[in-house]
Amino acid sequence: MTDTPAEPGPDTPGPTDDTPGPPPGCPAHAGHPAPAAEPAPAAGPAPASGGAPDGLVNLFAAEAVADPRATYERLRAEHGPVAPVLLADDLPAWLVLGYRENLEVARTPSRFTRDSRVWRLFQEGRVPATSPLLPMTDWKPLCRFVDGEDHRRLRSAINDSIGRFNRRGIRRHVTRFADQLIDGLSGNGEADLVAEFIEHLPMLVMTQLLGIPEEDGPRLVDASRDLMNGASTAVESNEYLVETLRSLVARKRISPGNDLASWLIGHPEELSDTEVMQHLRVILVITNETTISLIASTLRMVFTDLRFRASLTGGHMTLPDAVEQVLWEEPPFLTLPGRWATGDTEVGGQRIKAGDLLLLGIAAGNVDPAIRPDRNTPMHGNRSHLTFGGGAHECPGQDISRAIADTGIDTLLMRLPDLRMTVEEEELRWNQAWVTRHLAALPVEFTPVPPKDRSRPGARKDASATQAPLPSATPPSAIPPSAIPPSAALPPAVRAPEGAAPAGAATPASPPGAPRGWASVRRRLLRR
């Protein structure tokens, strides 16, 4: 996907590195009325010029990471739609908080470029070689870091290739893998949905779409999680991911199939092997992270928000509508680095200096009071949120995430219709970083059911039996199991916190008159 933060990908650190990292996100904002202009606040300090101003909020500080939304609102109240902030190593930057201002920055490449080589702090030698910002800001010959003709060339290859996917085929893959994962936990009566279902489904589907051998899926889940969490083994995990994809590209050059890797290789724009491999990495890691967060947040809202559940079960909101509402309220990426000012300019009443770094504030922009004065008003069917970025760099793979999320959730709720959380909402724990946030665990209980019997007459067959899989058959991966570091292995399933409600504890009551199970409202959930 393009326009989402790059995953830590330090093949060789430095702004001249020729290996890319992920890009930022995407939505269709066309036709959304621009909010009325607000009085411009007094110009604040220009963080990228000189020493760090006193009293600025550091987005890497524990308090800001623990409660980012409160931090954003405090910054909005103090500075308006654009606020000066500090990042790792006290490096100054601008955080764009306003919805209108986010679109202005995203849609004006002549003023705010994606080319990180203009970042003045790096030119001045102020960015340490060990900075955690480098994996997301090192320039690379990728969509994420180029504009103009270079961007058009790379982006057209990605758009054309992703456009060849059969939407029904994607959903069949989702259903098949969702059923397999549910079969593995359905007889237990309890599970951690994050560790046993949510973290695995997107990557398993993406292996099929990209043409990666299915058996590589579990190890790729571990590596991708390492990258997004910034774990101590992120470098090793990144190397494993790169080598897996490099091996894939080499095989597909010799024996192309019906998959994204082969389509990129064969595209008329003639991408190099490095360009193909790195764009596959972008799509794989970012789609995986985005979809994990989206599924987890949607299920949490189903379990805990009575109004949300009432709208869903009452037929006032379809499941795709519910997913869209979550994209407004809990975007997987809170901020998206970055844009760099091409010259001295002004945005949101702040004077921006040439070479300043700007962060798109996705979570803050989605709740900007200028466009959402009443946050309780539902946004059903409204796709003009900032979650997938905007402008020329809007995400080309956003519908893949949507398809995996709503089909996976529907399959889960149909198979286990009485799912209920076993902890209170305030006891839930989150994986948090300065750019992302999603549930670390989602403990549930349900009535045990046996695995699906696909051998009986009339039983639904796997997608592989009803339709040729999207990718062609591929030989076993050339990457040995030992290639991924042991420290990147999946941790034990997260257990419910001490003091959590025992199995069978009361759960949030359904609204009066609401159907008891999800099976009775399936058609309404999927009605479009």
Side-chain angles (χ1 to χ4, degrees), residues 28-51:
H29 307 290
H32 194 286
E38 299 179 75
S49 54

Side-chain angles (χ1 to χ4, degrees), residues 324-336:
E324 222 60 45
Q325 183 74 33
V326 171
L327 288 170
W328 276 99
E329 305 296 344
E330 295 187 5
F333 288 92
L334 305 175
T335 61
L336 296 177

Side-chain angles (χ1 to χ4, degrees), residues 77-418:
E78 269 185 57
H79 302 284
V82 178
V85 294
L86 299 177
L87 304 178
D89 303 302
D90 286 335
L91 297 178
W94 296 99
L95 176 62
V96 186
L97 302 162
Y99 180 92
R100 178 167 55 97
E101 290 73 18
N102 268 284
L103 291 183
E104 179 182 351
V105 172
R107 292 176 172 177
T108 319
S110 60
R111 294 168 56 205
F112 305 102
T113 181
R114 298 306 309 269
D115 190 339
S116 62
R117 290 172 294 186
V118 307
W119 189 15
R120 193 173 62 226
L121 292 185
F122 196 93
Q123 294 175 353
E124 294 173 351
R126 296 173 58 188
V127 183
T130 56
S131 172
L133 298 175
L134 286 178
M136 291 177 281
T137 57
D138 283 356
W139 185 89
K140 305 170 182 74
L142 243 192
C143 277
R144 187 206 189 299
F145 293 101
V146 295
D147 292 307
E149 176 58 24
D150 289 338
H151 179 265
R152 184 213 60 77
R153 170 182 167 266
L154 295 171
R155 183 57 183 262
S156 65
I158 294 172
N159 285 350
D160 293 346
S161 299
I162 288 179
R164 295 180 63 176
F165 282 127
N166 179 301
R167 189 175 182 87
R168 290 184 179 179
I170 294 175
R171 292 185 182 278
R172 287 191 183 100
H173 283 300
V174 178
T175 301
R176 176 164 70 97
F177 285 118
D179 276 336
Q180 290 178 7
L181 292 168
I182 294 167
D183 284 346
L185 60 85
S186 62
N188 301 331
E190 59 181 7
D192 171 12
L193 288 182
V194 170
E196 299 177 58
F197 180 78
I198 298 171
E199 280 192 335
H200 297 273
L201 180 61
M203 186 63 77
L204 289 171
V205 174
M206 291 304 296
T207 60
Q208 298 296 292
L209 302 186
L210 270 63
I212 300 171
E214 190 172 310
E215 59 268 23
D216 285 351
R219 297 202 302 279
L220 290 172
V221 168
D222 303 337
S224 179
R225 181 176 51 233
D226 255 17
L227 292 175
M228 297 312 303
N229 290 347
S232 59
T233 53
V235 173
E236 292 91 340
S237 291
N238 178 70
E239 290 172 353
Y240 169 76
L241 182 60
V242 167
E243 288 306 314
T244 298
L245 294 175
R246 186 173 287 131
S247 174
L248 172 69
V249 173
R251 293 197 307 272
K252 293 298 180 179
R253 281 280 182 196
I254 299 171
S255 179
N258 191 26
D259 52 66
L260 185 60
S262 300
W263 296 335
L264 285 174
I265 290 170
H267 193 273
E269 294 293 351
E270 299 182 343
L271 274 62
S272 69
D273 283 1
T274 296
E275 288 173 331
V276 173
M277 181 270 291
Q278 292 294 355
H279 282 93
L280 290 175
R281 181 174 67 166
V282 167
I283 293 166
L284 184 68
V285 174
I286 296 304
T287 301
N288 182 64
E289 175 68 20
T290 299
T291 312
I292 287 173
S293 177
L294 182 54
I295 295 174
S297 292
T298 303
L299 287 171
R300 182 190 65 78
M301 291 182 74
V302 166
F303 295 148
T304 63
D305 189 322
L306 294 182
R307 288 177 301 180
F308 186 87
R309 186 167 62 188
S311 294
L312 193 57
T313 58
H316 305 297
M317 176 171 61
T318 67
L319 188 50
D321 283 342
V323 168
E324 222 60 45
Q325 183 74 33
V326 171
L327 288 170
W328 276 99
E329 305 296 344
E330 295 187 5
F333 288 92
L334 305 175
T335 61
L336 296 177
R339 300 294 199 278
W340 287 267
T342 58
D344 292 355
T345 187
E346 183 174 320
V347 63
Q350 299 284 21
R351 290 188 291 273
I352 311 296
K353 296 290 187 180
D356 280 5
L357 168 63
L358 295 93
L359 313 176
L360 299 182
I362 303 305
N366 278 354
V367 296
D368 184 353
I371 64 159
R372 294 185 65 188
D374 181 3
R375 283 192 57 187
N376 292 323
T377 300
M379 308 297 284
H380 299 171
N382 189 331
R383 288 192 172 194
S384 59
H385 49 72
L386 300 169
T387 297
F388 295 111
H393 290 268
E394 68 176 345
C395 172
Q398 56 183 288
D399 285 339
I400 295 178
S401 286
R402 289 184 172 101
I404 296 174
D406 64 49
T407 304
I409 293 169
D410 179 59
T411 304
L412 178 69
L413 296 179
M414 287 298 299
R415 292 281 308 275
L416 305 174
D418 62 345

